Amino acid sequence: MLDLTTLAALPAELTAALPAAGPLPAIGPEWMQADTLIASFGPYALIGIVLVVFIETGLLFPFLPGDSLLFTAGLLVAQDELNFPLWLLCLLIFLAAFIGDQVAYFIGRKAGPKLFNKPDSRIFKQQYIDQTYAYFDRYGGRTIIVARFVPFVRTFAPVAAGIGKMNYRHFVSYNVIGALLWGVGVTVLGYFLGQITFVKDNIEAILVLIVGLSLIPVAVELLRARSAKRNPAYDEQHERARVEREDIGG
């Protein structure tokens, strides 16, 4: 039979065991560790966090720890490791996420389809573009919201919306909702979890876990880009034009 007394004692036992295990190993490259990245900003942590969010969403650079950065920032505010209020962090992250997508939209609008018609490189992969169009084909304009939670797709979705000339008012509406749910939502989640005693007592282990979880979707997308053949449904210009016409600009 299940012993409730034993269950109740588990958090205390885990708390005692984790520090005894010694330093926890880092997961992934150092620049993918949100806590290390935030610490590197020193007294300019708030500016650094906001810039990372803007660069990932607005300047076509998908290899940044977006989700884990937001969660960790909220968690560190709850731990009083960062000396600025939650409301200011959330406001600036929202603005960075919103403005980033606006910039990406206008890049796509001005540059047009030729922006995506270039060979693969270490940063740019046609596979990412195929996946982005697949999301638009499935979710339509709501992709701007859904993509916020999908690595790589969140970087290229607003660009594709600009290329497909999505109705600007619709794009802004989706952008506001997406920036709020992702930018503010994930940050606030980290803040409230950071107030739990078990999390407070095992902050190092929790941060390693956050990095590990955030690397899973990134690893999946990288493996797809390397091992899987490109999706034939979205790798021709006329097929992308159909998605732009029916699902993005429609």
Side-chain angles (χ1 to χ4, degrees):
M1 181 177 290
L2 186 63
D3 188 342
L4 296 179
T5 304
T6 303
L7 267 180
L10 278 177
E13 291 175 5
L14 286 171
T15 300
L18 284 170
L24 290 161
I27 297 179
E30 188 170 343
W31 55 270
M32 282 294 290
Q33 299 172 40
D35 58 324
T36 302
L37 187 61
I38 292 172
S40 72
F41 296 140
Y44 305 103
L46 182 59
I47 297 173
I49 293 167
V50 170
L51 282 177
V52 169
V53 172
F54 174 77
I55 290 170
E56 186 189 17
T57 57
L59 299 184
L60 309 186
F61 191 81
F63 297 98
L64 288 171
D67 302 312
S68 61
L69 181 75
L70 300 181
F71 188 92
T72 302
L75 190 151
L76 292 178
V77 168
Q79 301 286 324
D80 294 323
E81 296 289 333
L82 296 175
N83 59 351
F84 41 79
L86 178 66
W87 69 265
L88 181 60
L89 175 65
C90 288
L91 174 63
L92 294 182
I93 286 177
F94 169 80
L95 291 174
F98 175 79
I99 295 171
D101 264 26
Q102 294 296 118
V103 170
Y105 175 88
F106 284 111
I107 288 175
R109 189 96 180 198
K110 295 296 182 182
K114 64 182 179 181
L115 184 67
F116 286 163
N117 295 336
K118 58 181 182 179
D120 287 354
S121 64
R122 295 188 66 178
I123 295 177
F124 179 88
K125 304 288 184 184
Q126 285 291 334
Q127 180 77 19
Y128 307 152
I129 310 306
D130 294 346
Q131 186 184 11
T132 300
Y133 276 87
Y135 269 85
F136 273 110
D137 203 17
R138 181 175 181 180
Y139 298 108
R142 290 173 298 167
T143 295
I144 301 301
I145 300 173
V146 176
R148 289 286 189 179
F149 300 90
V150 184
F152 303 111
V153 177
R154 68 168 156 257
T155 298
F156 296 109
V159 184
I163 292 174
K165 295 180 171 55
M166 177 184 286
N167 179 282
Y168 184 65
R169 293 179 66 180
H170 293 167
F171 174 79
V172 170
S173 298
Y174 289 131
N175 190 13
V176 167
I177 297 171
L180 186 64
L181 292 177
W182 179 68
V184 177
V186 175
T187 305
V188 170
L189 178 63
Y191 178 82
F192 282 110
L193 286 180
Q195 298 183 60
I196 298 174
T197 301
F198 179 76
V199 175
K200 285 183 178 180
D201 293 341
N202 299 282
I203 183 69
E204 194 173 311
I206 297 299
L207 290 175
V208 171
L209 179 62
I210 292 169
V211 174
L213 292 175
S214 68
L215 284 177
I216 292 174
V218 174
V220 169
E221 297 306 327
L222 287 175
L223 287 173
R224 283 180 178 175
R226 286 191 176 192
S227 62
K229 292 183 178 179
R230 288 178 55 206
N231 187 338
Y234 307 100
D235 62 356
E236 298 294 339
Q237 188 54 48
H238 73 276
E239 292 164 337
R240 292 182 179 177
R242 177 190 63 78
V243 175
E244 291 167 8
R245 183 177 63 254
E246 296 177 1
D247 302 301
I248 301 177

